Amino acid sequence: ELGLLGHADDNGRNQMIRPLGFLLKVVTIDKPVCFVDDAVKSIKAITERHEGEGRQSIESALRTLFSLLAIPKRHQLSYEDIEAYSRVDMDRRRRIQVLESQRLQDGEDEVPQGSEEDQLLDDVSTDDAVMTRMCRIVHAYLSCLLRGTDIPPFVTHIIQLGRSQRNIEACALAMRCLSLHCLINPQTVTTFLPIFMNESSSAGSTEVAVAAASGLFDMMSEYGPKFFDNTGSSQPPTTSQQQQ
């Protein structure tokens, strides 16, 4: 099937990209990663000889999903302001805890419909599903790239945004995306290595720690242990150096 998609003509390609791109933009709260891997692989196969179209389709899906997040729309945060997004998200979750405590003290077991707590819970649930789907799309997209391929800046911002979340699934996916990012672009290893070292030994989420440790193992297998010697100023070997 992927072979047939790869040889599609221009008209057939355009007709197939649209529904696949739409499929990526559909988010279900219960299964936020549904259809992602197959849709991304199909888009890459269709646009193998037209790489720009495939990247544009992926970025379009990510930007549409990003517009669904409750926080940027209400607080007018740009995608570059990741720290502000994280702070607002944390404040929102703390507010939920306060409202829940007050409700339980008043003897109410259920969240009143239409209340501030109900709205905040709905926003958090939606944002968690959207963030998880965006990180899964990025992971599937990076899995299809070759070393040395340019990674769109917006994709990198999505990875950093995913890492800043309290949503464990999205955060673990973002760490796996960051590992692929370093394998595709060796020059970023020195920048992100401290993140992997810190997260792999963190006492926080087990899923995130495992993803970080797995990323370290992949980089060590790819670039060799000498690169992890902090006393040196070595850089990851280039593709040509590895072939030699």
Side-chain angles (χ1 to χ4, degrees):
E1 291 176 353
L2 290 178
L4 293 175
L5 292 176
H7 291 283
D9 57 21
D10 291 343
N11 186 46
R13 185 175 66 254
N14 292 332
Q15 290 181 351
M16 287 187 284
I17 285 179
R18 292 191 187 96
L20 288 171
F22 173 78
L23 196 60
L24 288 178
K25 301 173 185 178
V26 177
V27 183
T28 56
I29 303 299
D30 296 335
K31 297 180 179 180
V33 299
C34 189
F35 303 122
V36 167
D37 291 341
D38 291 336
V40 171
K41 289 179 181 178
S42 297
I43 290 175
K44 289 294 294 181
I46 293 171
T47 60
E48 184 176 358
R49 292 173 291 180
H50 307 269
E51 185 177 344
E53 293 182 7
R55 181 172 61 184
Q56 183 179 2
S57 179
I58 298 296
E59 281 197 68
S60 174
L62 290 174
R63 292 184 184 277
T64 299
L65 290 172
F66 182 80
S67 68
L68 298 177
L69 294 174
I71 291 179
K73 289 189 298 183
R74 295 186 177 185
H75 298 271
Q76 298 180 351
L77 298 175
S78 68
Y79 69 87
E80 296 179 2
D81 199 358
I82 296 172
E83 292 185 0
Y85 186 109
S86 179
R87 287 195 300 269
V88 174
D89 182 50
M90 187 176 298
D91 291 342
R92 183 175 59 177
R93 294 175 187 270
R94 288 175 178 171
R95 178 60 178 167
I96 291 176
Q97 292 178 347
V98 171
L99 293 173
E100 181 184 13
S101 178
Q102 293 175 351
R103 174 172 53 81
L104 294 177
Q105 288 179 359
D106 294 338
E108 298 182 13
D109 295 331
E110 298 183 357
V111 179
Q113 291 186 353
S115 63
E116 179 186 3
E117 183 182 1
D118 183 50
Q119 182 62 47
L120 289 174
L121 287 171
D122 184 64
D123 288 346
V124 168
S125 177
T126 300
D127 282 2
D128 283 351
V130 172
M131 277 304 312
T132 299
R133 190 168 187 82
M134 285 196 298
C135 289
R136 186 69 176 193
I137 291 173
V138 170
H139 186 271
Y141 174 65
L142 295 180
S143 298
C144 298
L145 298 184
L146 300 175
R147 175 172 296 174
T149 305
D150 291 334
I151 299 175
F154 189 74
V155 171
T156 304
H157 286 300
I158 292 298
I159 296 175
Q160 297 296 341
L161 187 61
R163 285 194 54 254
S164 70
Q165 301 306 297
R166 303 291 292 273
N167 177 9
I168 300 302
E169 185 177 2
C171 190
L173 273 171
M175 284 302 305
R176 291 200 286 271
C177 291
L178 196 60
S179 175
L180 289 173
H181 191 293
C182 292
L183 295 177
I184 295 169
N185 185 358
Q187 302 307 316
T188 61
V189 178
T190 53
T191 301
F192 297 128
L193 180 59
I195 295 176
F196 286 96
M197 300 293 290
N198 180 66
E199 293 293 348
S200 63
S201 58
S202 174
S205 168
T206 302
E207 291 85 348
V208 177
V210 169
S214 178
L216 282 174
F217 178 81
D218 290 341
M219 286 186 287
M220 182 173 292
S221 300
E222 188 69 21
Y223 301 129
K226 290 183 179 181
F227 174 68
F228 295 88
D229 181 8
N230 294 328
T231 62
S233 57
S234 57
Q235 294 290 331
T238 64
T239 303
S240 60
Q241 290 174 333
Q242 286 187 332
Q243 290 175 348
Q244 294 175 357

